[in-house]
């Protein structure tokens, strides 16, 4: 564990001279992602030395990089749990982002979009999809590009149900076992 008096935390730290960021891989994935973006924020913002203001700015940088307020809006997040799940953040970071999102949304409703908001919307608007794109990933099964989906697979790859007679202990499978069994049967029998 690193000493806080030296500017190191138990999550991550950066060495300004060598531009190296170290992180604790034993932390939850969402916490690691936030810590790495926090340290990147210190670098991008040119922070030198320790101060509460620098920490606040690095936290804001990480929060906006991981969950842009406009992306929270267009993804339809209703609460901090949605933000945590969709943007792979810790609940604490997601809660702070959602509180800030509500402030952002109120300002957009009252004052309209700022110049920065308009530029962000234009940058992430996809003409082919005819929408603001807040997420892009590939289907776990076929590799198709999925836009604005929190699902791991596309609708084309929804696998057929396995008859219960296929396996005596079918009801004891958890969801991952069912997915693997469906993949196996699809590959084996080309359903």
């Amino acid at each position: 564990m690193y000493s806080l008096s030296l500017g190191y935390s138990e999550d991550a730290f950066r060495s300004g001279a060598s531009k190296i960021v170290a992180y604790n891989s034993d932390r939850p994935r969402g916490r690691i992602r936030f810590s790495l973006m926090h340290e990147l924020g210190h670098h991008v913002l040119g922070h030198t030395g320790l101060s509460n203001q620098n920490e606040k700015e690095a936290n804001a940088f990480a929060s906006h990089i991981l969950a842009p307020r406009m992306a929270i809006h267009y993804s339809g997040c209703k609460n901090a749990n949605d933000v945590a799940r969709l943007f792979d953040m810790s609940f604490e970071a997601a809660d702070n982002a959602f509180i800030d999102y509500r402030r952002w949304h109120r300002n957009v409703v009252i004052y309209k979009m700022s110049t920065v908001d308009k530029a962000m919307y234009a940058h992430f608007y996809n003409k082919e999809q005819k929408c603001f794109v807040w997420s892009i990933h590939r289907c776990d099964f076929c590799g198709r590009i999925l836009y604005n989906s929190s699902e791991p697979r596309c609708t084309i790859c929804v696998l057929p149900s396995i008859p219960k007679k296929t396996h005596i202990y079918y009801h004891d499978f958890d969801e991952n076992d069912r997915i693997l069994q469906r993949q196996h049967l699809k590959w084996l029998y080309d359903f």
Side-chain angles (χ1 to χ4, degrees):
M1 186 166 304
Y2 303 101
S3 167
L4 291 174
S5 63
L6 295 176
Y8 303 130
S9 78
E10 57 189 42
D11 293 327
F13 69 91
R14 77 180 169 108
S15 170
S18 63
K19 298 182 183 174
I20 292 175
V21 173
Y23 68 94
N24 184 345
S25 61
D26 293 333
R27 292 294 196 207
R29 178 178 156 81
R31 182 79 181 238
I32 290 171
R33 293 179 72 237
F34 189 88
S35 296
L36 290 173
M37 289 301 104
H38 173 96
E39 296 305 326
L40 178 63
H42 283 306
H43 176 72
V44 168
L45 298 170
H47 290 163
T48 57
L50 295 172
S51 75
N52 285 337
Q53 185 62 31
N54 286 355
E55 292 306 306
K56 286 178 184 176
E57 289 174 0
N59 282 340
F61 178 91
S63 180
H64 284 273
I65 289 290
L66 293 174
R69 303 325 181 234
M70 191 175 291
I72 291 173
H73 178 74
Y74 283 103
S75 66
C77 291
K78 302 293 183 212
N79 53 44
N81 287 327
D82 289 349
V83 174
R85 182 178 49 81
L86 286 177
F87 296 96
D88 198 10
M89 299 171 77
S90 68
F91 179 79
E92 181 182 3
D95 191 41
N96 289 330
F98 192 72
I99 289 167
D100 190 60
Y101 157 72
R102 290 190 313 211
R103 187 177 312 115
W104 171 85
H105 185 261
R106 187 174 51 249
N107 285 337
V108 168
V109 168
I110 294 169
Y111 303 110
K112 306 296 182 210
M113 281 201 278
S114 69
T115 305
V116 172
D117 291 331
K118 289 176 184 175
M120 183 177 208
Y121 185 85
H123 182 77
F124 289 100
Y125 183 84
N126 184 303
K127 290 179 184 176
E128 294 167 7
Q129 298 299 313
K130 297 180 182 172
C131 66
F132 178 89
V133 175
W134 54 269
S135 170
I136 300 174
H137 66 273
R138 293 197 177 273
C139 173
D140 288 349
F141 299 111
C142 70
R144 281 189 178 86
I145 295 176
L146 303 177
Y147 295 95
N148 297 348
S149 173
S150 59
E151 297 299 320
R153 60 183 178 258
C154 65
T155 55
I156 296 169
C157 291
V158 173
L159 300 171
S161 298
I162 302 169
K164 289 188 178 184
K165 295 179 183 178
T166 303
H167 195 283
I168 296 170
Y169 301 106
Y170 180 81
H171 65 279
D172 291 336
F173 283 3
D174 68 16
E175 185 61 23
N176 289 333
D177 290 332
R178 288 185 186 122
I179 291 170
L180 289 173
Q181 181 71 12
R182 287 182 195 141
Q183 283 179 299
H184 171 75
L185 289 174
K186 183 178 180 346
W187 173 80
L188 188 62
Y189 300 110
D190 197 30
F191 277 87

